[in-house]
Amino acid sequence: MAHPRPPAFGTGPAAIVAISAILLLMAASGSEPDFNALRERMVERQIEARGVEDPRVLAAMRKVPRHRFVPEDLQASAYHDGPLPIGKGQTISQPYIVASMTELLDPRPGDRILEVGTGSGYQAAVLSELVRQVHSIEIVPELAERSRALLQKLGYDNVEVITGDGWKGLPEHAPFDGIVVTAAPVEIPAPLLEQLAVGARLVIPVGNADQIMRVVERNEDGLSERDLYPVRFVPLVREPGK
Ligand code: SAH
């Protein structure tokens, strides 16, 4: 048999095994992976290749050091094409999903954005590069504390992490120029719709077992919505007793 063609870099098992082996070898030899090169490749092959076009979003994805937002033992996998565990049963979203949700939000430099589901803080950091102020709510106190400290350490001064239930939004800072929710409710929480400014968008995965990425926009004459692509997020939970 002729030599099989080497696998193209992709998401197939062979590619993942090959990349993991290279990263393991690098780790064993004590040298750190070239995170900048891995990040550039992530943007080209996972994000641009799938149609994300907004130059500001692409620049933010090129800039934010995703490996700093994953557990240390998973840093070598930070630029893989998938979600990763971040502890407490939660995950950091796949890079493409972060880029796509950010693009769908259509962020402008002067905007004030609400994120529900801080998790690792990565999506908040990406938004922080693009807008004036990010308010991000996380219901698991340990995750909120960790992300708050990390974002501060990395210099993301325009992100405020709030510990609490994002179901209610953040009425004291509403209305927002955009809201992004990174955990899935079965139905959109009414307070989030109420806290959208005119012209603002809510980007939110909705559903139970089958979830869909939905964009709701508030216009002068009401709300319009469109459904985009199937997704799988952790559930948006409610504070016990609420
Ligand atoms: N945006 C995150 C992805 C986080 S996963 C990132 O970039 O890493 C979703 C997060 O939503 C989890 O951390 C989970 O604890 C949180 N979450 C779930 N329900 C919530 C709620 N009602 N309010 C706030 N955060 C919630």
Side-chain angles (χ1 to χ4, degrees), residues 100-157:
S100 171
M101 290 181 85
T102 307
E103 184 175 56
L104 289 168
L105 196 65
D106 194 22
R108 315 275 164 93
D111 283 355
R112 289 172 48 253
I113 300 292
L114 173 67
E115 180 192 25
V116 176
T118 316
S120 67
Y122 176 67
Q123 169 81 74
V126 170
L127 289 168
S128 149
E129 297 281 352
L130 297 168
V131 301
R132 180 157 60 92
Q133 178 72 43
V134 181
H135 302 275
S136 184
I137 313 180
E138 171 56 54
I139 202 165
V140 177
E142 292 89 334
L143 292 178
E145 278 153 34
R146 197 169 72 193
S147 300
R148 190 179 293 124
L150 179 63
L151 288 161
Q152 199 176 18
K153 186 168 157 192
L154 297 178
Y156 293 102
D157 307 331

Side-chain angles (χ1 to χ4, degrees), residues 101 114-117 179-185 192 202-205 233 236:
M101 290 181 85
L114 173 67
E115 180 192 25
V116 176
I179 302 179
V180 60
V181 182
T182 61
L192 298 183
L202 166 65
V203 181
I204 183 168
F233 277 77
L236 186 75

Side-chain angles (χ1 to χ4, degrees), residues 30-51:
S31 64
E32 196 175 70
D34 182 348
F35 288 120
N36 291 335
L38 291 173
R39 190 158 60 248
E40 179 57 36
R41 195 156 56 182
M42 168 191 88
V43 172
E44 282 173 21
R45 306 202 183 179
Q46 301 173 32
I47 296 172
E48 285 184 300
R50 290 193 181 110

